[in-house]
Amino acid sequence: MKNLKIYFTSDLHGYVYPTDYVDKSEKNIGLLNIINQFEKDGNTLIIDAGDTIQGSPFTNYLSNTEFDVHPIATIFNEGGYDYITLGNHDFNYGYDYLKKYLCNLDAKCLCANVDDKTNELGILPYDIKTLENGLKVGIIGFTTDFINIWERAENLTNFSINDTLSSIKPYYNELKDKVDVLIGVYHGGFEYDLDSHKKLSDTKENIAYKICNELQFDLLLTGHQHMEISDTDLHSTHIVQTPHNGSKFIELNLEFEDNKIQKITSKLNDVTLNPNKNMYEKFLPLEEKVQQWLDTPVGFLDTTLQPTSHLDMALNGSPLANFINQIQLDASNANIACTSFANVIKGFETNVTVRDILSTYPYPNTLVVLEVNRKCLKLALERCASYFDYNNGDVAISDTFLKPKVEHYNYDYFANIDYTIDITKEVGNRVTSIMYNGSELDEDTNLTLVMNNYRASDAGGYEFYTDCKVVKEVLIEMPDLIIDYFKNNKNVIVDKSKYLTIVS
């Protein structure tokens, strides 16, 4: 009997220390805790599926400082990582930042559909690893090709991001008869519901279901959707996925005998508060600088802006969304604005710190201004209106925003237009009024609409935006724009208008 053990992480998003940065308390999360739970021998592989070096205040701070070796590379080396692939967010801070991570890793970076035009990053499509027990393991890495849609062009100058499925097929065919175990490491998720097998998306953002259906990987280690998946088989492929921010990790065990796999089991392990001492102390001066920066006061609001439930805010509007929109309008000079919320948000007291901003708007989005008309706005508002599931007077959030992963961030809040949604009507015909400057918007009037670059890319069901003329781009990340807004307006008066009316 030959055994293979795998420790698997994904979507760490820069959460290194045992904190979520909402406050300073230590919690059972983070890379430093996780690597201290690994027990590695010659028959163990440690693998990460990307979205590793962006997403936390730690990496936000790091992206604005001078350094040579990315701390996460050093910590991965300490943890004994063997392989990584790239996630879409790993490109967010540009080539040089990514290079300081990849070029200092002991682990091999496998990403079959990413070509590095500089040939300096050491990205490989696959690798074959012979374990101490003689088991021959093939590993192919790949990522979502929607990076081409989401990422700023300047961050992809040195890369070609190619079609995912067609990129991996030649390597799959090359390896399948050469190895005992074939593993796919995919920064992408599932386009079908894993329980009902109902198709949930027609895009190519996530194609793990298709991969399992068309290819015969023994293991498919997935990410991107932040779902908890373990001990599950799909079309004869064992599949796993982890939640985000280093809150859990996968431990997988495979038994091989008589030239075939006999058994595969996997489980999601909780994280124990016991950080790796060497790495904790090594980077503590950096972490203390991050915490000090987070507590920097930036300004004052005339009211608290605390979130309620996502459903309540979607039904009744949100002064917190208004505040983000007024910053976008100020930065862009657009006529109207839209924004959305992360799945988890902190909100603001009247005294605002950097910590509050990064806990409420954690994404490095920039802004895009589009020229839109009534037809386009109605499509956008109908997409928002589909957030609601209405059944005999009961209102809930539609499963299309909850499965296969929770996507509250695909519901948008608009400012500077007054609009009415009748959720008793069928989806697609719920928007009954769109008013601008006190009058119903006519078909021939064009307005400028500011939104984040993620939404402008057509993500989240807003594909019609790609047909709109781009009027302007504001290439400053939103957390910085919020901080700058406070610098220019120390005592902020929040827009308290209610732009949305829901009929039910």
Side-chain angles (χ1 to χ4, degrees):
M1 180 78 69
K2 297 177 181 178
N3 296 291
L4 164 63
K5 180 168 66 175
I6 294 175
Y7 293 111
F8 173 65
T9 57
S10 188
D11 298 273
L12 292 166
H13 284 289
Y15 280 82
V16 173
Y17 278 80
T19 178
D20 60 10
Y21 294 101
V22 173
D23 53 39
K24 291 183 177 180
S25 64
E26 292 197 334
K27 299 178 174 67
N28 293 13
I29 63 171
L31 180 58
L32 292 178
N33 283 325
I34 288 173
I35 65 169
N36 235 27
Q37 294 179 240
F38 294 161
E39 296 179 358
K40 188 176 185 182
D41 59 21
N43 302 314
T44 300
L45 296 178
I46 303 177
I47 301 173
D48 182 81
D51 272 8
T52 306
I53 56 172
Q54 180 281 332
S56 71
F58 184 90
T59 49
N60 184 297
Y61 180 87
L62 199 62
S63 72
N64 291 297
T65 62
E66 293 293 327
F67 67 97
D68 295 320
V69 178
H70 201 293
I72 293 178
T74 304
I75 297 167
F76 267 22
N77 294 343
E78 176 80 4
Y81 275 81
D82 297 284
Y83 299 101
I84 65 116
T85 196
L86 296 171
N88 50 294
H89 285 294
D90 293 323
F91 296 87
N92 285 168
Y93 293 136
Y95 176 84
D96 290 338
Y97 180 85
L98 179 56
K99 183 177 181 180
K100 292 172 182 178
Y101 168 59
L102 292 183
C103 291
N104 292 289
L105 275 174
D106 295 337
K108 293 181 179 180
C109 178
L110 308 180
C111 208
N113 63 319
V114 173
D115 291 333
D116 166 29
K117 298 175 184 178
T118 71
N119 293 316
E120 294 181 5
L121 303 184
I123 300 173
L124 304 170
Y126 70 87
D127 192 44
I128 298 175
K129 174 83 169 182
T130 302
L131 302 182
E132 196 174 85
N133 60 21
L135 197 65
K136 189 174 286 188
V137 181
I139 309 101
I140 305 173
F142 38 100
T143 190
T144 174
D145 52 32
F146 261 45
I147 293 169
N148 286 320
I149 296 173
W150 298 321
E151 191 53 67
R152 284 182 280 171
E154 60 268 28
N155 288 343
L156 296 180
T157 301
N158 293 323
F159 300 99
S160 293
I161 313 294
N162 306 308
D163 178 77
T164 303
L165 190 58
S166 61
S167 294
I168 63 178
K169 277 185 175 179
Y171 302 114
Y172 171 86
N173 291 329
E174 180 181 343
L175 291 189
K176 64 180 181 178
D177 296 325
K178 293 182 179 179
V179 297
D180 300 314
V181 180
L182 187 53
I183 302 172
V185 184
Y186 175 37
H187 188 84
F190 297 87
E191 71 278 31
Y192 284 74
D193 183 90
L194 295 178
D195 295 321
S196 68
H197 298 271
K198 175 185 176 183
K199 192 172 187 180
L200 301 171
S201 172
D202 290 317
T203 76
K204 296 196 307 175
E205 176 185 351
N206 301 293
I207 59 166
Y209 194 97
K210 183 180 181 71
I211 290 169
C212 290
N213 192 35
E214 294 190 11
L215 306 178
Q216 292 294 310
F217 282 103
D218 297 307
L219 310 175
L220 187 62
L221 316 179
T222 69
H224 187 55
Q225 290 176 316
H226 307 170
M227 295 163 59
E228 296 192 7
I229 304 173
S230 63
D231 224 26
T232 300
D233 292 322
L234 178 64
H235 304 308
S236 301
T237 295
H238 193 91
I239 57 172
V240 298
Q241 192 173 130
T242 71
H244 64 315
N245 297 358
S247 54
K248 292 185 180 181
F249 65 96
I250 287 284
E251 181 178 346
L252 182 148
N253 288 280
L254 178 149
E255 297 176 1
F256 186 92
E257 192 174 30
D258 297 330
N259 292 317
K260 65 179 181 179
I261 296 170
Q262 300 292 335
K263 184 179 181 182
I264 305 173
T265 58
S266 60
K267 61 180 179 178
L268 278 158
N269 286 343
D270 292 326
V271 177
T272 303
L273 183 56
N274 181 30
N276 180 278
K277 185 177 179 181
N278 291 338
M279 294 293 100
Y280 189 98
E281 292 178 351
K282 180 178 179 65
F283 294 108
L284 187 58
L286 173 59
E287 171 70 3
E288 288 174 340
K289 289 179 181 178
V290 173
Q291 293 287 358
Q292 184 178 4
W293 169 62
L294 288 173
D295 286 332
T296 304
V298 294
F300 305 93
L301 298 169
D302 69 332
T303 184
T304 60
L305 294 175
Q306 292 298 323
T308 56
S309 72
H310 282 280
L311 181 58
D312 178 71
M313 292 187 292
L315 285 168
N316 298 299
S318 166
L320 178 55
N322 287 358
F323 172 60
I324 301 300
N325 276 327
Q326 77 185 73
I327 293 170
Q328 294 187 154
L329 290 166
D330 180 78
S332 66
N333 293 314
N335 300 129
I336 59 179
C338 67
T339 192
S340 59
F341 289 133
N343 288 339
V344 180
I345 49 177
K346 183 175 186 289
F348 302 113
E349 298 296 332
T350 53
N351 296 334
V352 179
T353 66
V354 173
R355 186 186 304 277
D356 300 324
I357 292 169
L358 292 181
S359 297
T360 303
Y361 203 112
Y363 305 117
N365 296 136
T366 57
L367 298 180
V368 177
V369 180
L370 301 179
E371 184 177 270
V372 298
N373 56 20
R374 183 185 177 93
K375 179 181 178 182
C376 179
L377 283 174
K378 185 166 189 303
L379 288 171
L381 294 172
E382 289 289 358
R383 169 60 176 155
C384 298
S386 70
Y387 185 75
F388 306 106
D389 183 37
Y390 183 82
N391 186 12
N392 295 324
D394 293 327
V395 183
I397 298 170
S398 169
D399 277 350
T400 59
F401 286 79
L402 300 176
K403 294 181 178 180
K405 68 171 182 175
V406 177
E407 296 179 341
H408 297 301
Y409 51 81
N410 283 328
Y411 177 89
D412 282 352
Y413 300 80
F414 284 75
N416 278 11
I417 55 170
D418 297 295
Y419 53 106
T420 302
I421 293 173
D422 186 346
I423 60 175
T424 67
K425 296 181 180 292
E426 68 275 15
V427 171
N429 290 292
R430 289 178 165 181
V431 178
T432 58
S433 176
I434 307 172
M435 300 185 71
Y436 179 69
N437 281 345
S439 300
E440 196 69 27
L441 184 66
D442 61 44
E443 300 288 348
D444 299 323
T445 298
N446 290 327
L447 299 174
T448 51
L449 168 62
V450 60
M451 64 186 69
N452 65 54
N453 63 310
Y454 173 79
R455 182 65 74 239
S457 72
D458 86 0
Y462 297 82
E463 59 279 349
F464 41 83
Y465 281 143
T466 57
D467 296 327
C468 298
K469 176 183 175 182
V470 177
V471 177
K472 181 195 296 187
E473 294 186 66
V474 181
L475 297 177
I476 302 172
E477 293 173 4
M478 269 303 295
D480 294 325
L481 282 176
I482 298 171
I483 292 169
D484 289 344
Y485 187 81
F486 276 110
K487 287 179 181 177
N488 297 324
N489 304 272
K490 281 293 183 184
N491 295 284
V492 174
I493 299 173
V494 176
D495 177 10
K496 302 175 186 66
S497 305
K498 185 178 179 183
Y499 295 104
L500 165 69
T501 301
I502 296 288
V503 176
S504 61

